[in-house]
Amino acid sequence: MNRSLRLHLLAAVAALATVLSPAAAAQPIKLGELNSYKTFPAFLEPYKKGMDLALEEINAAGGVLGRPLAIVSRDDNGSPGDAVRVAEELVTREKVVLLMGTFPSNVGLAVADLAKQRKILFLAAEPLTDKIVWENGNRYTFRLRASTYMQTAMLAPEAAKLGRKRWAIVYPNYEYGQAATQAFKKQMMALQTGGIEFVEQAVPLGKIDAGPVVQALADARPDAIFSSLFGTDLARFVREGELRGLFRDRPVFNLLGGEPEYLDPLKDEAPVGWWVTGYPWYAIDTPPHRRFRDAYQARYKDYPRLGSVVGYSTVQAAAAALRKAGSTDTEKLVAAMKGLAFDSPFGKVSFRALDHQSTMGAYVGRTALKDGKGVMVDWRYADGKDHLPSDDAVKAMRPAD
Amino acid sequence: MTLASLLAQLLNGLAGASSLFLVAAGLTLIFGVSRVVNFAHGSLYMLGAYVAWTSVAWFGRGPVGFWGGVLLATLVVAAIGALVESLLLRRIYAAPELLQLAATFGVVLIVRDLTLATWGAEDLLGPRAAGFAGVVDLFGRATPTYELLLIVVGPLVLAGLWWLLVRTRFGVQIRAATENRALVGALGINEARLFTQVFALGAGLAGLAGALQLPREPANLGMDLAIIAEAFVVTVVGGLGSITGAFLAALLIGLVKALCVVVGTVEFGGFAIAFPKLTLVAEFVVMAIVLAVRPYGLLGQPAVIPATTPVAEFRALIRPPGRRSLAAALALAAVAALLPFTGDEYRLILATDILVLAVFAASLQFLMGGGGMASFGHAAYFGLGAYGAALAFKHGAPMAFALAAAPAAALVGAVIFGWFCVRLSGVYLAMLTLAFAQIVWSIAFQWDAVTGGSNGLVGIWPAPLLADKRDYFWFVLTLAGAALAAIAWLAQTPLGYALRGSRDSALRAEALGIDVRRTQWMAFAIAGTFAGLAGGLHVFSKGSLSPETLAIPRSVDALVMVLLGGLNAIAGPLLGAAAFTLLQDGLARATDYWRAVLGAAILLIVLLAPMGIGGALQRLFARGAR
């Protein structure tokens, strides 16, 4: 069933309810959602499923503020210009009470700036850029996922423990990869005393020339490797690196490498023993996660990916904000979001009043092969709140509201 | 860097060059014969990888599954190519040059969504090639045997094609058609069948290249656009239609890229230059240099066929607008000015977008329709304008000055790039504009301190006076209306006539005392200026910009808008921009598979109205008047 049809049905149900019981005369509360569905389908299809699951659960429990929730979803075509246009449509035509979603950082930042201009709440679900809450942070924008900085900070202490001197860094040549590289170097130099040196390879996003890159890294004879590659680039890097023996006797750290979206396509060629951040859905047995996983698998006959958690949590966060605000008024919602605590599949998460970053963490562990599939072992949950810079450092970066 | 590591990297470069050559060979073959700029070639390549993956899934990872899959992919994709040619392209060979580009763009959109629907969103990792899964020791380094195989396959395919072209009757026909397709038809050779066969052959090569890529890269939905620009570059650097040239060009580019990676970061008198970062644009820099020295690529020949359409009927459409057209335009503007009173704010936002894109498309139409100079990189001027305005604004200039900086920045870019471009013609010229656009893009993408890098710049909103959407709409309506009128007027000035004269016959124009290059250069500057104005208006309506403002998809959008609207119709840009924007906006809301439906809609327009919507309307009115 497509989105608009579902919306119509919801509206029809709501209309029917109006006729039958005047007391429940409730129009749905509309949440505006935009994302690059056709540009990054591997991440966003599970994301949408997670979002829909949360919506169904909330409405089955009676909705929010006595009204059902509805999500109006739009494709932003992976382009900031188009994203601003569809966001305007959601605000002006659909009269949504808040905006949420977005995937790439440049789109997230553009919508965040629109939110500031338009004075509407924007809950950035997926963009990892540090800037969206720091350098370009604003009163109306909140971000759910653990940022590039946070995820790097989760891996860096493990890397520093090894005491290796010469690091090779390979990263996709755009803001995410650059920021990860910069954060890693900075943190390593702070954590590890004594000489440490870095050699770098920046590769065009989605177009890594794996042979030459792996060869160049091997020729640099590093002691260890830090990578922020993901998706197709990661798959090519892994295969070529295994073939050419790049990873032999070298510890490898890979940001995001344990996310099912990027680990699962590698099948039986998933690397073994890498330090990664990710999401071991099969092994997390906390009550909130078990409940989420069971509901998800029952609903979709498929296992959840990290995107599913992000989509699910985004809607839960929005509902929690509406409940706490007791209203759909933007200013009240913004006030409610500051310090808002809500239940995610990863447990209690809150949005910091200081910089609007959520404390949602990530799982840190090592990769292994099990039944011909890549998994994470020896993992632990790294809480987001423990991997952020000092409050003063954040205040120095973030402009006043 | 030791000699051994350099040699090992040369091998890597050779392997990369081989797989690049396979894609480009098919493209150059197709272009040589049919003059179709096949934008869907990357999609065929992607399909090849997916078909091979399916074969492995069905028949196992052994030789049957893999090598059978390579064969199957080649055949299946060849068949798809034949289908595309005979059902679609054959119907529009007589249409204006480059209309096929819009059609193949529609095919790209459809193939993307069909692939997503068929194979799903997740990347599909294929097996290592059966029999070539291991490594051998070369120069003290583990070298994958598959890379060595690829190094051999490239020259083998080259030899095979050479034999086909030189030794067989089919090859003689292809070469004849490459040189003069009208003559081939006149000699009684079945042109339609020849075109279908060549298209199938080229498509099959793309399928083969895609299948052979599978051990190196998982089948994924980004393969089509990731390869297409590079394949075009190889084709053009080699010389359009020249297989050997494509091979040399692939070698050149493959080696340059591998060298960028191996050189690493180098210190030059205090400056650290990170060569690996250059891989982002290496092929375009190579192309710009090669075309500056050799205007027809390494082994290309000047085209026998004129750059513009030979069909007189399409050119006859150009005449000064009559009194009725003027009245219609004024009435339209008056109605548009009332739009803010309808109360629907989103309608205003859409209308603003359409007006901005109409100016952008009109500037390209001026260059393409009037000047006969297609630009595949027109986004450069739009983006330079947008960045010019944004940077001026960010450095404290008031909105009026920032907006004035937009056309100024674009003008500077157009004057510089245009000087080089007007020395070329046809697709070579178009590709050089693309090279410049990509170089500008990569600067915007990487110069963090100034342009904000891949994230771009935010917070560029209009002055309080124009902050209201209605006021901004009226402002854009006034400026865009003036710009569209100015472009239409320019086409009727002596400059406009000189430009069309230069397009239709450079020789006669020169004989009449027209400085052809200078005229074309001026057209470039004018087109760039107006595109820059559109970029400036765009950035203030969106509040932010990022490098996608000057990336390839935006250039393609502009081309599609011009072609949909009509290459030579005065109202074309406005109609094209409106059709494109409204289709995309409406379809994206109506269906999850909006890309495929948009592609189908583009195909429909192209087939039903090969002269564009504007051309079709003009014809309709002309018939009515008679």
Side-chain angles (χ1 to χ4, degrees):
Chain A
M1 186 159 48
N2 72 36
R3 280 170 234 137
S4 59
L5 184 57
R6 185 178 305 122
L7 195 69
H8 285 154
L9 275 180
L10 251 173
V13 170
L16 199 64
T18 318
V19 177
L20 294 179
S21 67
Q27 287 289 309
I29 297 177
K30 285 190 196 173
L31 309 179
E33 199 272 347
L34 63 157
N35 233 317
S36 316
Y37 286 103
K38 285 285 149 146
T39 320
F40 304 99
F43 199 96
L44 291 171
E45 281 180 5
Y47 162 91
K48 184 158 187 316
K49 285 182 179 166
M51 202 166 70
D52 288 345
L53 178 66
L55 182 72
E56 284 162 18
E57 286 182 3
I58 289 165
N59 283 337
V64 175
L65 310 178
R67 294 162 65 184
L69 276 190
I71 294 175
V72 191
S73 227
R74 295 283 183 263
D75 195 324
D76 64 27
N77 205 12
S79 135
D82 287 4
V84 168
R85 178 169 54 76
V86 295
E88 299 257 30
E89 192 246 343
L90 289 170
V91 174
T92 60
R93 227 178 231 181
E94 298 291 342
K95 312 277 185 228
V96 298
V97 301
L98 57 81
L99 293 171
M100 58 189 197
T102 73
F103 188 94
S105 293
N106 57 351
V107 174
L109 286 167
V111 176
D113 198 56
L114 177 78
K116 178 180 161 192
Q117 176 79 3
R118 278 269 174 184
K119 299 198 187 347
I120 183 157
L121 179 67
F122 171 45
L123 177 49
E126 172 62 30
L128 292 181
T129 178
D130 302 316
K131 295 193 170 121
I132 204 165
V133 290
W134 296 341
E135 286 91 338
N136 293 346
N138 66 55
R139 178 177 162 71
Y140 296 93
T141 301
F142 294 78
R143 189 254 304 278
L144 179 77
R145 269 200 80 182
S147 65
T148 309
Y149 177 92
M150 292 160 75
Q151 304 216 26
T152 309
M154 291 169 192
L155 283 181
E158 304 282 347
K161 269 186 222 158
L162 302 179
R164 305 279 174 142
K165 293 265 176 270
R166 191 168 160 80
W167 283 83
I169 302 183
V170 55
Y171 61 95
N173 191 7
Y174 75 111
E175 201 255 359
Y176 152 75
Q178 292 156 0
T181 301
Q182 207 184 350
F184 182 75
K185 282 161 70 175
K186 201 171 149 198
Q187 292 176 30
M188 286 299 281
M189 285 197 279
L191 289 167
Q192 195 173 322
T193 46
I196 180 165
E197 47 182 344
F198 303 98
V199 284
E200 294 176 26
Q201 282 287 339
V203 308
L205 175 63
K207 293 162 92 169
I208 186 175
D209 220 345
V213 167
V214 164
Q215 191 69 65
L217 289 178
D219 284 349
R221 304 202 177 283
D223 301 325
I225 296 167
F226 177 79
S227 145
S228 46
L229 299 175
F230 62 93
T232 317
D233 290 332
L234 178 61
R236 299 174 74 171
F237 180 66
V238 167
R239 178 168 273 183
E240 204 71 26
E242 291 285 355
L243 257 181
R244 296 179 191 240
L246 173 65
F247 311 133
R248 213 173 293 143
D249 304 323
R250 285 194 183 104
V252 182
F253 289 73
N254 203 118
L255 219 54
L256 316 184
E259 295 181 6
E261 282 87 339
Y262 308 130
L263 191 57
D264 292 358
L266 298 174
K267 301 265 182 327
D268 57 342
E269 290 183 42
V272 173
W274 288 20
W275 280 264
V276 292
T277 61
Y279 170 46
W281 60 271
Y282 33 82
I284 307 168
D285 273 325
T286 59
H289 185 261
R290 215 165 355 159
R291 214 195 52 70
F292 162 76
R293 185 178 56 202
D294 291 347
Y296 191 92
Q297 285 184 311
R299 173 75 178 77
Y300 295 114
K301 314 281 173 260
D302 193 6
Y303 62 92
R305 318 296 205 275
L306 185 63
S308 319
V309 178
V310 173
Y312 184 86
S313 306
T314 305
V315 177
Q316 293 290 3
L322 284 163
R323 276 190 212 109
K324 184 176 165 195
S327 152
T328 59
D329 175 68
T330 295
E331 294 303 325
K332 285 188 181 144
L333 281 172
V334 168
M337 282 294 292
K338 282 178 183 280
L340 175 81
F342 73 100
D343 294 308
S344 83
F346 291 176
K348 270 260 187 279
V349 169
S350 60
F351 284 91
R352 303 180 353 142
L354 174 70
D355 60 359
H356 298 188
Q357 168 66 42
S358 101
T359 61
M360 185 182 226
Y363 291 82
V364 179
R366 303 189 64 175
T367 54
L369 267 181
K370 195 184 157 200
D371 305 331
K373 275 194 314 208
V375 291
M376 277 173 76
V377 294
D378 301 333
W379 52 264
R380 64 185 170 81
Y381 180 62
D383 196 319
K385 72 176 175 353
D386 304 328
H387 297 91
L388 281 155
S390 72
D391 289 1
D392 287 338
V394 169
K395 276 182 200 147
M397 282 188 283
R398 190 179 156 92
D401 279 348
Chain B
M1 183 186 4
T2 62
L3 185 64
S5 75
L6 189 66
L7 288 174
Q9 288 292 21
L10 283 182
L11 280 187
N12 288 326
L14 287 178
S18 246
S19 58
L20 202 49
F21 164 68
L22 292 183
V23 196
L27 194 61
T28 205
L29 205 62
I30 290 173
F31 180 88
V33 172
S34 63
R35 302 280 163 218
V36 170
V37 179
N38 181 19
F39 207 74
H41 205 69
S43 309
L44 297 170
Y45 164 83
M46 175 171 78
L47 282 176
Y50 273 99
V51 171
W53 183 88
T54 301
S55 161
V56 171
W58 284 353
F59 304 117
R61 295 180 164 209
V64 179
F66 182 78
W67 294 108
V70 171
L71 186 67
L72 188 71
T74 310
L75 295 177
V76 168
V77 177
I80 294 172
L83 223 61
V84 169
E85 197 278 339
S86 54
L87 291 181
L88 176 65
L89 296 175
R90 182 180 297 177
R91 290 164 206 285
I92 48 175
Y93 282 130
E97 177 106 342
L98 289 179
L99 188 71
Q100 301 97 344
L101 186 134
T104 55
F105 176 69
V107 174
V108 169
L109 294 175
I110 294 173
V111 169
R112 264 212 161 178
D113 262 8
L114 285 184
T115 310
L116 174 64
T118 312
W119 281 281
E122 196 173 273
D123 290 0
L124 301 175
L125 190 71
R128 296 184 187 181
F132 295 88
V135 291
V136 291
D137 192 82
L138 277 181
F139 313 113
R141 283 164 178 77
T143 309
T145 47
Y146 191 67
E147 302 267 296
L148 300 176
L149 175 72
L150 280 182
I151 293 176
V152 179
V153 166
L156 274 184
V157 169
L158 176 65
L161 285 174
W162 182 85
W163 174 82
L164 184 77
L165 288 176
V166 175
R167 295 273 181 241
T168 66
R169 185 175 162 73
F170 178 54
V172 172
Q173 291 178 356
I174 292 179
R175 279 186 295 140
T178 303
E179 263 179 40
N180 194 333
R181 69 176 158 179
L183 196 60
V184 169
L187 287 173
I189 292 162
N190 187 341
E191 249 187 305
R193 201 171 66 199
L194 183 67
F195 278 25
T196 311
Q197 285 166 342
V198 168
F199 211 90
L201 178 61
L205 283 170
L208 173 70
L212 287 178
Q213 185 69 3
L214 196 59
R216 288 154 56 92
E217 176 178 3
N220 67 84
L221 294 166
M223 287 177 94
D224 52 352
L225 293 189
I227 196 78
I228 186 66
E230 211 170 354
F232 270 125
V233 167
V234 169
T235 308
V236 164
V237 169
L240 288 162
S242 165
I243 306 276
T244 317
F247 185 76
L248 293 177
L251 274 186
L252 182 63
I253 287 166
L255 291 180
V256 166
K257 283 194 148 183
L259 280 180
C260 278
V261 171
V262 75
V263 167
T265 307
V266 178
E267 300 263 346
F268 274 120
F271 282 103
I273 299 181
F275 277 92
K277 291 192 171 186
L278 276 181
T279 48
L280 208 56
V281 280
E283 64 263 40
F284 294 100
V285 175
V286 169
M287 177 163 76
I289 294 170
V290 167
L291 287 184
V293 181
R294 295 188 62 91
Y296 296 101
L298 294 174
L299 296 181
Q301 306 282 332
V304 178
I305 301 166
T308 52
T309 165
V311 187
E313 187 188 355
F314 300 133
R315 289 194 211 158
L317 289 169
I318 299 179
R319 48 188 148 75
R323 202 169 289 161
R324 280 198 311 168
S325 307
L326 279 175
L330 284 174
L332 186 68
V335 171
L338 295 176
L339 207 54
F341 299 109
T342 60
D344 184 346
E345 199 180 337
Y346 183 60
R347 204 174 284 156
L348 281 187
I349 292 163
L350 270 184
T352 307
D353 278 7
I354 291 172
L355 285 169
V356 169
L357 289 177
V359 174
F360 182 36
S363 72
L364 179 60
Q365 193 209 37
F366 180 74
L367 201 60
M368 260 172 88
M373 294 178 286
S375 166
F376 290 175
H378 212 52
Y381 313 108
F382 185 85
L384 277 172
Y387 271 96
L391 287 173
F393 188 75
K394 282 275 156 192
H395 287 89
M399 181 188 171
F401 284 100
L403 208 51
L411 173 65
V412 172
V415 164
I416 298 170
F417 301 155
W419 190 85
F420 290 96
C421 290
V422 297
R423 276 151 176 76
L424 272 49
S425 63
V427 177
Y428 293 100
L429 185 157
M431 289 301 289
L432 189 59
T433 62
L434 176 66
F436 284 126
Q438 281 304 91
I439 290 167
V440 173
W441 170 82
S442 76
I443 292 170
F445 196 85
Q446 309 219 38
W447 198 7
D448 262 32
V450 174
T451 60
S454 59
N455 276 342
L457 301 164
V458 297
I460 307 131
W461 296 101
L465 188 67
L466 296 173
D468 189 274
K469 292 281 172 210
R470 282 183 296 182
D471 295 329
Y472 194 69
F473 170 74
W474 278 317
F475 177 68
V476 171
L477 180 65
T478 313
L479 276 187
L484 290 174
I487 294 172
W489 170 75
L490 274 168
Q492 312 306 330
T493 58
L495 174 73
Y497 281 98
L499 190 62
R500 288 204 291 281
S502 308
R503 174 197 71 185
D504 291 345
S505 172
L507 211 58
R508 287 181 208 168
E510 291 275 8
L512 287 171
I514 296 169
D515 188 337
V516 169
R517 268 193 192 163
R518 211 184 139 86
T519 309
Q520 292 180 330
W521 192 22
M522 279 178 74
F524 233 94
I526 291 167
T529 308
F530 281 107
L533 173 69
L537 291 173
H538 170 82
V539 71
F540 276 106
S541 77
K542 299 296 173 195
S544 60
L545 86 169
S546 76
E548 54 96 41
T549 322
L550 32 71
I552 295 175
R554 188 170 298 271
S555 295
V556 175
D557 285 356
L559 281 166
V560 171
M561 283 186 268
V562 168
L563 294 167
L564 286 187
L567 195 51
N568 287 325
I570 288 180
L574 190 59
L575 291 167
F580 193 72
T581 308
L582 295 176
L583 271 176
Q584 193 175 329
D585 177 69
L587 291 176
R589 227 174 308 147
T591 160
D592 283 349
Y593 285 95
W594 61 271
R595 272 197 179 150
V597 184
L598 177 64
I602 290 174
L603 291 189
L604 211 63
I605 296 177
V606 164
L607 287 175
L608 292 179
M611 290 182 305
I613 304 169
L617 285 179
Q618 277 186 6
R619 217 183 205 188
L620 211 64
F621 287 136
R623 200 176 297 157
R626 220 176 288 147

